[in-house]
Amino acid sequence: MAESLSKSVQELVVNGNELPERYIISKGKGFDGTIDSSLPVIEIPVIDLGSLTSTAPAGEAELQKLRSALSSCGCFQLINHGMESSYLDQVHEVGKKFFALSKEEKVKCSRTVDDTEGYGNDTLFPQQQTVDWTDRLYLTVNPQQQRKLSVWPQNPQSFREILDEYTKKLEELNTIILKAMAKSLNLEENCFLKQYGELAKATVIARFNYYPPCPRPDLALGVKPHADASAITFLLQDKKVEGLQVLNNGQWFRVPTSPHSLLINVGDQVEIMSNGLLKSPVHRVVTNSERERMTLAVFFVPHSEQVIEPVEELVTDKRPRLYRKVKDYVSIYFENYQLGKRPIQAVLL
């Protein structure tokens, strides 16, 4: 049976508590026992959206750059995406303002024990006792009829309008990127979109992540190692404070901050569609003892009734089918994640 934590991470910091044992991460379950914030920086490829969508030779070169990025580290920084720097600052600021509100104001948006939606932190499951050093605001944005507006902040006043507008802009980018991914593999441009399904039925989830300063960053993680259950994830990073790390060829690397670009990564469902050619990267978040950090991740997830499987053209004698046909991958994902397993391995043939 699930239970919720009695205090937010933010409260633990304010009260000056030592690090509670449930936040201390131990070896095993995908963790090597080392938390190092001074790792080498990985060079994240930068993709220019204008070039990517161009019919000129530059467009083909950018597609090949995209394929190279997603078949190696599984992520890229998107620039020239059509959103002004001042607008992205506004999106980021509305999240920061929410977490800066009083406890009494924030708990108006609290999630229930049996739900993921709303304000809170990790749910404690019997088999998962180590929790993340983060407070979250987790909101379903799409389908619109599934929005639980009772947990959507009304303070800051502009919160709902800004989140709604921002995710609509990302929906357009999601379509463009899924088409570009297919073209980069010499496929018909709509083949990933067909599996993704109707945009009105697909799930879009926004997760605001707040990482307060941690008294023992050598013992706790902001987020444990995982890959995403999505098709694509868009991350608006903190402009000044690093924390994200990605696993590449068995080694952890720091992901640098890149103000006003969007960090985009492949999720497990596109790795399945691409028969493993495009990689869903394992990543984690480390903490620090001095500075708070706030990010916004938006996950684009096919409807649970959509059939997800490797595209037929990517299955050959030399590269046989790696994954079975699946529906409702998100349920498979969480069932395995709670057990400390890499979920995508559960759908390997």
Side-chain angles (χ1 to χ4, degrees), residues 30-56:
F31 178 59
D32 62 7
T34 306
I35 303 176
D36 187 353
S37 59
S38 61
L39 293 168
V41 173
I42 192 168
E43 190 174 330
I44 303 292
V46 176
I47 300 293
D48 184 303
L49 186 65
S51 298
L52 190 67
T53 54
S54 171
T55 55

Side-chain angles (χ1 to χ4, degrees), residues 11 34-35 108 114 122 139 173 203 257 289 323 341:
E11 285 178 272
T34 306
I35 303 176
K108 293 176 183 177
D114 298 318
D122 266 1
L139 303 170
L173 289 177
T203 301
T257 58
S289 60
Y323 302 103
K341 298 177 182 177

Side-chain angles (χ1 to χ4, degrees), residues 52 59-68 177-192 273-274 277-278 311-316:
L52 190 67
E60 185 59 38
E62 208 72 4
L63 283 171
Q64 292 313 307
K65 194 172 161 188
L66 179 69
R67 175 174 178 163
S68 175
I177 298 300
L178 280 171
K179 285 183 176 183
M181 286 178 175
K183 287 170 70 176
S184 77
L185 296 172
N186 299 314
L187 299 168
E188 194 278 317
E189 68 172 15
N190 290 312
C191 67
F192 289 165
M273 293 179 203
S274 71
L277 288 172
L278 306 183
V311 173
E312 209 58 51
E313 291 89 333
L314 299 178
V315 178
T316 64

